[in-house]
C-alpha cells in the first residue's frame, strides 16, 4: 500500500486527565474531608488518655528485647489466628458461613476466553451450548475483511474435527497428483475469481494442494471400502445340498434388485451412489475454509470433516444430496409463502434452475466473502442443513421484487449480496412454520 503503516496503525497515546500544578490549592471537598479526620482524631484522644493498643504492643516488644532470653524448648510459632482481633465484630455476620468463591460460568465468559481456556469445570456440553448462543447473539468478532484469529478454531470445535498432525497433511501432498488432479485444475483458476479479498489471501496453488490432498483421502477411504467388501465376499462356508453332498457357498447372499432398492430406502449401509474423490463445486466449498484458516492443515481437516460428516451427499458422483436439497427449497417455499411459490412455478422456475449453486456451496457462491463467513458461523453452530432455509429466506427478502417483475429469471440468475444478519433473522422466523416431518427431511437431506 502507498500509505505509511505507522501513520495509520499507531494512534496518539490515551493520556490521563491533565495533572494540576503542585502549588494549586486543593478542592473544597478535600478540605472538608481533612477537617473530619482531624476532629475524629481529637475526639478519640479526649475519650481516652491511654495509649493505643498498637502503642502498648510496641512497648511490650521493646521490654522483651531488653531482658535476657532463656533457652526454652522450641514452641509453636504464633499464628495469625492468635492475634487480637483489631476490628470490632459485626453482629450481623455472626453464624454465617464463609461464601464460596463463585467460578464464572460458560455463559459469563466471552467467546474468546471460552475457546482459549475451555468450559469451566470441564462442562463440554454446557460450553458448546454457550458457544452456540454467543454466535447467534454476538457473532464471531472480525475485521471488515472478515478476518478473525478465532473463527477457524470455533469451526473446528463445532464440526468436532479431529486433531491432525501437519506431517500427515504433508504426506498427502508429497504423494503427487491424485486421480482427480485434472478435474481439480480445471476448476481452481475460476474459484471466486471476482473476489479480491480471496485472491489477495489465498493462492491457486494452495487451493490445488488442499483439494488434491482431500481427493487422496477420499480415494484411500474408497479403496479400504472396496477391500472390505472383497474380503467379505471371499468368506466361504461349508453347507450340504439336498442330496447331502458338501458344497461351498458365499457367506454373503446375493441381494436381489428389489431387495437392494428396499435396503437403500431403509437407510442400509450400501451407498446409493459410490462417493467420488472430487465433484465440481468442491473448489468453491473449500474456499472459505482456506480464507478463514491460519494454515492449510487446519483448512484441510475442517473441510474434510465437513464434507464427510455434514454433507457427504453433496460430493457423491450423482450429487443426490444437492438434488434433495433443491426439492426441499421448493417444498419449504410452498409452505412459508404459497403466493411466491405459485408465481415462480407459473414462470417455470423451480429451484433446480436458480438455487443449485447456493445449495451446493452453502451460499459461498454469493458475495461478499465476509458475509459468507458470518453466515457459516451460524450454519456450523446449528447445522449445515439450515442452508435450505437460508436460501428460502433470501427469496422471502426479495419477495416484492420477484412478484413485481415479469421476468424473475433476471433477479434470481445471481442473488443480491448476502446480508448474514438479516438472513439469520428471517431463517429463525421460518423455522417455526416448518412441520416436523419436513424439518426431519431437511436435517437428513445431505447425508
Amino acid at each position: 500500500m502507498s500509505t505509511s503503516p505507522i501513520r495509520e496503525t499507531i494512534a496518539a497515546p490515551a493520556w490521563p486527565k491533565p495533572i494540576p500544578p503542585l502549588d494549586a490549592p486543593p478542592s473544597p471537598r478535600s478540605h472538608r474531608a481533612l477537617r473530619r479526620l482531624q476532629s475524629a482524631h481529637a475526639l478519640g484522644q479526649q475519650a481516652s488518655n491511654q495509649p493505643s493498643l498498637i502503642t502498648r504492643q510496641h512497648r511490650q516488644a521493646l521490654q522483651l528485647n531488653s531482658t535476657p532470653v532463656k533457652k526454652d524448648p522450641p514452641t509453636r510459632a504464633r499464628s495469625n489466628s492468635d492475634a487480637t482481633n483489631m476490628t470490632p465484630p459485626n453482629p450481623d455476620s455472626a453464624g454465617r458461613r464463609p461464601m464460596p468463591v463463585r467460578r464464572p460460568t460458560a455463559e459469563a465468559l466471552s467467546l474468546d476466553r471460552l475457546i482459549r481456556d475451555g468450559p469451566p469445570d470441564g462442562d463440554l456440553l454446557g460450553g458448546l451450548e454457550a458457544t452456540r448462543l454467543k454466535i447467534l447473539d454476538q457473532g464471531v468478532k472480525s475485521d471488515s475483511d472478515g478476518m478473525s484469529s478465532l473463527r477457524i478454531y470455533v469451526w473446528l470445535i463445532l464440526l468436532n474435527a479431529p486433531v491432525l498432525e501437519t506431517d500427515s497433511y504433508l504426506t498427502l501432498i508429497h504423494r503427487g497428483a491424485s486421480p482427480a488432479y485434472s478435474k481439480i485444475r480445471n476448476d481452481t483458476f475460476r474459484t471466486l475469481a471476482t473476489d479480491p479479498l480471496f485472491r489477495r489471501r489465498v493462492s491457486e496453488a494452495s487451493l490445488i494442494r488442499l483439494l488434491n490432498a482431500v481427493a487422496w483421502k477420499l480415494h484411500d477411504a474408497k479403496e479400504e471400502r472396496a477391500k472390505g467388501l472383497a474380503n467379505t465376499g471371499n468368506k466361504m462356508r461349508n453347507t450340504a445340498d439336498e442330496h447331502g453332498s458338501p458344497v461351498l457357498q458365499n457367506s454373503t447372499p446375493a441381494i436381489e434388485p428389489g431387495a437392494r432398492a428396499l435396503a437403500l430406502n431403509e437407510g442400509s449401509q450400501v451407498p446409493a451412489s459410490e462417493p467420488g474423490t472430487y465433484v465440481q463445486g468442491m473448489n468453491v466449498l473449500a474456499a472459505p475454509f482456506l480464507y478463514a484458516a491460519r494454515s492449510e492443515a487446519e483448512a484441510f481437516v475442517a473441510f474434510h470433516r465437513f464434507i464427510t460428516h455434514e454433507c457427504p451427499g453433496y460430493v457423491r458422483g450423482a450429487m443426490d444430496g444437492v438434488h434433495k436439497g433443491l426439492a426441499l427449497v421448493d417444498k419449504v417455499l410452498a409452505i412459508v409463502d404459497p403466493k411466491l411459490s405459485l408465481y415462480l412455478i407459473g414462470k417455470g422456475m423451480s429451484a433446480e434452475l436458480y438455487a443449485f449453486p447456493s445449495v451446493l456451496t452453502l451460499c459461498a457462491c454469493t458475495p461478499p466473502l465476509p458475509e459468507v463467513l458470518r453466515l457459516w458461523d451460524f450454519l456450523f453452530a446449528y447445522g449445515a442443513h439450515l442452508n435450505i432455509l437460508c436460501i428460502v429466506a433470501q427469496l422471502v427478502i426479495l419477495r416484492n421484487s420477484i412478484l413485481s417483475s415479469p421476468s424473475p429469471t433476471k433477479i434470481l440468475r445471481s442473488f443480491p449480496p448476502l446480508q448474514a444478519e438479516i438472513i439469520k433473522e428471517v431463517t429463525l422466523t421460518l423455522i417455526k412454520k416448518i412441520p416436523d416431518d419436513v424439518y426431519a427431511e431437511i436435517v437428513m437431506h445431505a447425508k
Side-chain angles (χ1 to χ4, degrees):
M1 297 178 65
S2 60
T3 58
S4 172
I6 299 180
R7 294 172 61 89
E8 295 182 355
T9 58
I10 301 180
W15 296 103
K17 295 181 179 180
I19 302 176
L22 296 179
D23 55 351
S27 64
R29 182 172 300 177
S30 301
H31 273 303
R32 288 195 296 269
L34 181 60
R35 286 199 300 269
R36 285 197 297 268
L37 290 175
Q38 290 175 348
S39 300
H41 182 68
L43 291 175
Q45 286 185 346
Q46 293 176 3
S48 176
N49 293 325
Q50 297 180 358
S52 64
L53 181 58
I54 297 177
T55 305
R56 293 200 303 270
Q57 290 182 349
H58 183 64
R59 290 177 180 177
Q60 292 176 1
L62 293 177
Q63 292 176 0
L64 291 175
N65 292 333
S66 61
T67 56
V69 179
K70 296 182 180 180
K71 294 183 179 181
D72 295 331
T75 59
R76 178 178 66 88
R78 185 173 181 177
S79 64
N80 293 332
S81 60
D82 298 330
T84 305
N85 189 8
M86 302 299 295
T87 58
N90 185 4
D92 297 334
S93 62
R96 290 184 181 179
R97 295 183 180 180
M99 295 295 294
V101 179
R102 294 184 178 179
R103 299 188 61 183
T105 60
E107 293 80 4
L109 297 178
S110 64
L111 183 60
D112 188 10
R113 184 177 174 185
L114 188 60
I115 299 300
R116 184 183 68 245
D117 301 337
D121 301 325
D123 184 10
L124 297 180
L125 295 179
L128 188 61
E129 185 64 21
T131 301
R132 292 191 176 108
L133 291 175
K134 291 180 185 299
I135 291 175
L136 182 62
D137 184 38
Q138 306 168 6
V140 179
K141 293 183 179 179
S142 58
D143 58 18
S144 59
D145 292 343
M147 298 306 303
S148 169
S149 60
L150 187 67
R151 172 170 280 121
I152 186 59
Y153 302 111
V154 174
W155 288 4
L156 290 171
I157 291 173
L158 295 174
L159 294 173
N160 196 21
V163 177
L164 176 74
E165 295 181 356
T166 305
D167 292 341
S168 301
Y169 175 70
L170 294 177
T171 301
L172 295 172
I173 297 299
H174 294 157
R175 289 173 64 175
S178 68
Y181 182 75
S182 59
K183 295 181 180 179
I184 293 172
R185 289 301 305 268
N186 288 334
D187 290 340
T188 52
F189 71 93
R190 54 192 172 198
T191 304
L192 303 185
T194 59
D195 195 314
L197 295 178
F198 179 77
R199 286 296 182 183
R200 185 172 60 192
R201 177 172 174 81
V202 181
S203 65
E204 183 184 358
S206 177
L207 184 59
I208 291 172
R209 285 193 297 267
L210 173 67
L211 293 173
N212 193 70
V214 170
W216 272 124
K217 192 77 172 177
L218 297 176
H219 177 270
D220 294 344
K222 183 178 179 180
E223 292 293 326
E224 291 179 2
R225 286 193 300 270
K227 291 180 181 179
L229 292 176
N231 294 334
T232 302
N234 291 332
K235 291 181 180 180
M236 311 298 289
R237 57 187 175 90
N238 292 322
T239 61
D241 59 10
E242 57 183 356
H243 303 291
S245 301
V247 294
L248 292 177
Q249 291 184 357
N250 197 324
S251 60
T252 304
I255 302 178
E256 298 296 332
R260 179 180 176 84
L262 179 61
L264 293 180
N265 293 332
E266 292 178 352
S268 173
Q269 293 182 354
V270 181
S273 59
E274 185 66 27
T277 57
Y278 178 80
V279 296
Q280 190 175 13
M282 285 175 62
N283 55 319
V284 180
L285 201 58
F289 288 99
L290 276 172
Y291 187 84
R294 308 185 73 180
S295 68
E296 285 185 25
E298 290 177 345
F300 167 78
V301 67
F303 177 61
H304 180 264
R305 177 74 180 185
F306 174 71
I307 63 175
T308 55
H309 288 78
E310 294 294 326
C311 59
Y314 285 9
V315 297
R316 295 193 184 107
M319 295 185 182
D320 54 330
V322 179
H323 294 289
K324 291 179 181 177
L326 292 170
L328 285 170
V329 171
D330 289 330
K331 181 182 290 189
V332 171
L333 183 61
I335 294 173
V336 300
D337 197 333
K339 182 179 180 179
L340 180 59
S341 175
L342 291 175
Y343 183 78
L344 290 176
I345 293 175
K347 296 293 183 178
M349 295 191 64
S350 65
E352 290 274 356
L353 298 178
Y354 61 83
F356 188 91
S358 298
V359 173
L360 175 60
T361 65
L362 270 72
C363 298
C365 59
T366 306
L369 188 54
E371 293 297 313
V372 173
L373 302 180
R374 296 184 181 96
L375 185 62
W376 278 27
D377 295 338
F378 169 68
L379 293 178
F380 291 165
Y382 291 94
H385 58 273
L386 290 179
N387 180 51
I388 302 300
L389 295 178
C390 290
I391 296 172
V392 176
Q394 295 176 70
L395 297 175
V396 173
I397 294 172
L398 297 172
R399 184 178 191 274
N400 294 333
S401 300
I402 294 174
L403 293 177
S404 60
S405 174
S407 178
T409 307
K410 298 179 180 179
I411 300 176
L412 299 179
R413 183 179 293 120
S414 60
F415 281 89
L418 283 180
Q419 295 178 321
E421 291 301 321
I422 298 178
I423 293 174
K424 284 161 53 177
E425 292 177 1
V426 177
T427 299
L428 293 176
T429 60
L430 296 181
I431 292 177
K432 304 175 183 179
K433 303 178 181 179
I434 307 300
D436 293 341
D437 56 338
V438 178
Y439 192 81
E441 293 183 38
I442 295 174
V443 172
M444 297 303 297
H445 82 277
K447 302 300 183 182

